[in-house]
Short mmCIF file of all heavy atoms in Angstrom, two decimals:
data_model
loop_
_atom_site.label_atom_id
_atom_site.label_comp_id
_atom_site.label_asym_id
_atom_site.label_seq_id
_atom_site.Cartn_x
_atom_site.Cartn_y
_atom_site.Cartn_z
N TRP J 11 41.60 154.18 95.83
CA TRP J 11 40.33 154.05 95.10
C TRP J 11 39.21 153.59 96.02
O TRP J 11 38.06 154.04 95.89
CB TRP J 11 40.49 153.10 93.92
CG TRP J 11 41.06 153.76 92.71
CD1 TRP J 11 42.36 153.74 92.26
CD2 TRP J 11 40.34 154.59 91.79
NE1 TRP J 11 42.49 154.50 91.14
CE2 TRP J 11 41.27 155.03 90.81
CE3 TRP J 11 39.02 155.00 91.70
CZ2 TRP J 11 40.90 155.86 89.76
CZ3 TRP J 11 38.64 155.82 90.65
CH2 TRP J 11 39.57 156.24 89.69
N VAL J 12 39.54 152.69 96.96
CA VAL J 12 38.53 152.24 97.92
C VAL J 12 38.08 153.39 98.82
O VAL J 12 36.88 153.63 99.00
CB VAL J 12 39.07 151.07 98.77
CG1 VAL J 12 38.16 150.81 99.97
CG2 VAL J 12 39.21 149.81 97.92
N MET J 13 39.06 154.10 99.40
CA MET J 13 38.74 155.15 100.36
C MET J 13 38.00 156.33 99.72
O MET J 13 37.14 156.95 100.36
CB MET J 13 40.02 155.63 101.05
CG MET J 13 40.59 154.62 102.02
SD MET J 13 42.00 155.27 102.97
CE MET J 13 43.28 155.31 101.72
N VAL J 14 38.34 156.64 98.48
CA VAL J 14 37.69 157.78 97.81
C VAL J 14 36.55 157.32 96.91
O VAL J 14 35.41 157.74 97.06
CB VAL J 14 38.71 158.59 96.99
CG1 VAL J 14 38.01 159.73 96.25
CG2 VAL J 14 39.80 159.14 97.89
N GLY J 15 36.88 156.43 95.97
CA GLY J 15 35.87 156.00 95.01
C GLY J 15 34.66 155.37 95.66
O GLY J 15 33.52 155.78 95.40
N HIS J 16 34.90 154.39 96.52
CA HIS J 16 33.77 153.71 97.16
C HIS J 16 33.25 154.47 98.38
O HIS J 16 32.07 154.79 98.48
CB HIS J 16 34.16 152.30 97.59
CG HIS J 16 33.07 151.59 98.33
ND1 HIS J 16 32.92 151.65 99.71
CD2 HIS J 16 32.03 150.84 97.90
CE1 HIS J 16 31.86 150.97 100.08
NE2 HIS J 16 31.30 150.46 99.00
N ASP J 17 34.14 154.74 99.34
CA ASP J 17 33.70 155.28 100.63
C ASP J 17 33.10 156.68 100.51
O ASP J 17 32.14 157.01 101.21
CB ASP J 17 34.86 155.29 101.62
CG ASP J 17 35.32 153.88 101.99
OD1 ASP J 17 34.65 152.92 101.57
OD2 ASP J 17 36.34 153.74 102.70
N GLU J 18 33.67 157.53 99.64
CA GLU J 18 33.16 158.89 99.52
C GLU J 18 32.10 159.05 98.43
O GLU J 18 31.14 159.80 98.60
CB GLU J 18 34.32 159.87 99.25
CG GLU J 18 35.26 160.06 100.43
CD GLU J 18 36.24 161.19 100.20
OE1 GLU J 18 35.89 162.17 99.51
OE2 GLU J 18 37.38 161.09 100.71
N TYR J 19 32.29 158.33 97.31
CA TYR J 19 31.41 158.56 96.16
C TYR J 19 30.58 157.35 95.75
O TYR J 19 29.86 157.40 94.75
CB TYR J 19 32.24 159.06 94.97
CG TYR J 19 32.86 160.40 95.22
CD1 TYR J 19 34.19 160.52 95.62
CD2 TYR J 19 32.11 161.57 95.08
CE1 TYR J 19 34.76 161.75 95.86
CE2 TYR J 19 32.68 162.81 95.33
CZ TYR J 19 34.00 162.89 95.71
OH TYR J 19 34.57 164.13 95.96
N LYS J 20 30.66 156.26 96.53
CA LYS J 20 29.85 155.06 96.31
C LYS J 20 30.04 154.44 94.93
O LYS J 20 29.13 153.83 94.37
CB LYS J 20 28.36 155.38 96.53
CG LYS J 20 28.06 156.05 97.85
CD LYS J 20 28.63 155.27 99.02
CE LYS J 20 28.41 155.99 100.35
NZ LYS J 20 29.09 155.30 101.49
N LEU J 21 31.24 154.60 94.38
CA LEU J 21 31.59 153.98 93.11
C LEU J 21 32.05 152.55 93.39
O LEU J 21 32.82 152.30 94.30
CB LEU J 21 32.71 154.77 92.44
CG LEU J 21 33.27 154.23 91.12
CD1 LEU J 21 32.22 154.33 90.02
CD2 LEU J 21 34.54 154.98 90.72
N ARG J 22 31.55 151.62 92.60
CA ARG J 22 31.98 150.24 92.77
C ARG J 22 33.44 150.11 92.32
O ARG J 22 33.80 150.60 91.25
CB ARG J 22 31.09 149.29 91.96
CG ARG J 22 29.66 149.22 92.46
CD ARG J 22 28.86 148.19 91.72
NE ARG J 22 28.74 148.51 90.29
CZ ARG J 22 28.19 147.70 89.38
NH1 ARG J 22 27.73 146.51 89.74
NH2 ARG J 22 28.10 148.08 88.11
N VAL J 23 34.24 149.43 93.15
CA VAL J 23 35.68 149.34 92.89
C VAL J 23 36.13 147.89 92.95
O VAL J 23 35.74 147.14 93.86
CB VAL J 23 36.49 150.17 93.90
CG1 VAL J 23 37.99 149.99 93.67
CG2 VAL J 23 36.11 151.64 93.83
N ALA J 24 36.94 147.48 91.98
CA ALA J 24 37.60 146.18 92.00
C ALA J 24 39.10 146.41 91.89
O ALA J 24 39.55 147.48 91.46
CB ALA J 24 37.11 145.30 90.85
N GLY J 25 39.89 145.40 92.26
CA GLY J 25 41.33 145.59 92.26
C GLY J 25 42.08 144.43 91.63
O GLY J 25 41.61 143.29 91.63
N CYS J 26 43.24 144.76 91.10
CA CYS J 26 44.18 143.76 90.57
C CYS J 26 45.55 144.14 91.12
O CYS J 26 45.99 145.28 90.94
CB CYS J 26 44.20 143.77 89.04
SG CYS J 26 42.63 143.38 88.25
N THR J 27 46.23 143.20 91.76
CA THR J 27 47.50 143.54 92.38
C THR J 27 48.47 142.35 92.32
O THR J 27 48.11 141.27 91.84
CB THR J 27 47.30 143.98 93.84
OG1 THR J 27 48.51 144.53 94.36
CG2 THR J 27 46.85 142.81 94.71
N THR J 28 49.68 142.59 92.77
CA THR J 28 50.68 141.53 92.81
C THR J 28 50.41 140.58 93.97
O THR J 28 49.71 140.94 94.93
CB THR J 28 52.08 142.13 92.97
OG1 THR J 28 52.11 142.94 94.16
CG2 THR J 28 52.44 143.01 91.77
N ALA J 29 50.97 139.39 93.89
CA ALA J 29 50.73 138.38 94.93
C ALA J 29 51.21 138.87 96.30
O ALA J 29 50.57 138.63 97.32
CB ALA J 29 51.43 137.08 94.55
N VAL J 30 52.34 139.59 96.32
CA VAL J 30 52.89 140.03 97.59
C VAL J 30 52.03 141.10 98.25
O VAL J 30 52.01 141.23 99.49
CB VAL J 30 54.34 140.54 97.40
CG1 VAL J 30 54.37 141.85 96.63
CG2 VAL J 30 55.06 140.68 98.74
N ASN J 31 51.30 141.87 97.45
CA ASN J 31 50.46 142.94 98.00
C ASN J 31 49.04 142.47 98.33
O ASN J 31 48.32 143.15 99.07
CB ASN J 31 50.37 144.10 97.02
CG ASN J 31 51.61 144.96 97.02
OD1 ASN J 31 52.30 145.09 98.02
ND2 ASN J 31 51.93 145.55 95.88
N ALA J 32 48.62 141.34 97.79
CA ALA J 32 47.24 140.89 97.94
C ALA J 32 46.79 140.77 99.40
O ALA J 32 45.68 141.20 99.74
CB ALA J 32 47.04 139.57 97.20
N PRO J 33 47.61 140.20 100.32
CA PRO J 33 47.14 140.06 101.71
C PRO J 33 46.79 141.39 102.37
O PRO J 33 45.91 141.45 103.23
CB PRO J 33 48.32 139.38 102.40
CG PRO J 33 49.03 138.65 101.32
CD PRO J 33 48.91 139.53 100.12
N THR J 34 47.48 142.47 102.00
CA THR J 34 47.19 143.77 102.62
C THR J 34 45.91 144.39 102.07
O THR J 34 45.34 145.29 102.68
CB THR J 34 48.36 144.76 102.37
OG1 THR J 34 48.49 145.02 100.96
CG2 THR J 34 49.67 144.18 102.88
N ILE J 35 45.45 143.90 100.90
CA ILE J 35 44.23 144.44 100.28
C ILE J 35 43.00 143.65 100.69
O ILE J 35 41.88 144.19 100.70
CB ILE J 35 44.37 144.41 98.73
CG1 ILE J 35 45.64 145.14 98.29
CG2 ILE J 35 43.15 145.05 98.07
CD1 ILE J 35 45.67 146.60 98.65
N MET J 36 43.18 142.40 101.06
CA MET J 36 42.05 141.50 101.35
C MET J 36 41.06 142.06 102.39
O MET J 36 39.85 141.83 102.26
CB MET J 36 42.57 140.14 101.81
CG MET J 36 43.21 139.32 100.70
SD MET J 36 42.06 138.91 99.38
CE MET J 36 40.95 137.81 100.25
N PRO J 37 41.51 142.77 103.44
CA PRO J 37 40.54 143.27 104.43
C PRO J 37 39.46 144.18 103.85
O PRO J 37 38.39 144.35 104.46
CB PRO J 37 41.42 144.02 105.43
CG PRO J 37 42.76 143.36 105.33
CD PRO J 37 42.90 143.01 103.88
N TYR J 38 39.72 144.77 102.69
CA TYR J 38 38.72 145.67 102.09
C TYR J 38 37.57 144.89 101.44
O TYR J 38 36.55 145.48 101.07
CB TYR J 38 39.37 146.58 101.05
CG TYR J 38 40.29 147.60 101.64
CD1 TYR J 38 41.68 147.43 101.59
CD2 TYR J 38 39.80 148.74 102.28
CE1 TYR J 38 42.54 148.36 102.15
CE2 TYR J 38 40.65 149.67 102.85
CZ TYR J 38 42.02 149.48 102.78
OH TYR J 38 42.87 150.41 103.34
N ILE J 39 37.74 143.58 101.30
CA ILE J 39 36.63 142.76 100.79
C ILE J 39 35.83 142.34 102.01
O ILE J 39 36.11 141.34 102.67
CB ILE J 39 37.16 141.54 100.02
CG1 ILE J 39 38.03 141.98 98.85
CG2 ILE J 39 36.01 140.68 99.51
CD1 ILE J 39 38.66 140.85 98.08
N ASN J 40 34.81 143.09 102.32
CA ASN J 40 34.05 142.89 103.55
C ASN J 40 32.56 143.04 103.28
O ASN J 40 32.11 143.14 102.13
CB ASN J 40 34.52 143.87 104.64
CG ASN J 40 34.56 145.31 104.11
OD1 ASN J 40 33.72 145.71 103.30
ND2 ASN J 40 35.53 146.09 104.57
#
């Protein structure tokens, strides 16, 4: 969703994920 929704189409994107996956998603908050 980040790579397509935001990066290609400028759609605002938020995420909800499991605790174990959260560290791999954090870099996209920039």
Side-chain angles (χ1 to χ4, degrees):
W11 277 100
V12 167
M13 289 187 287
V14 178
H16 176 270
D17 294 353
E18 291 190 32
Y19 295 99
K20 308 307 176 186
L21 177 68
R22 294 185 297 174
V23 177
C26 299
T27 190
T28 57
V30 70
N31 283 330
T34 64
I35 306 298
M36 289 298 293
Y38 291 103
I39 301 177
N40 50 35

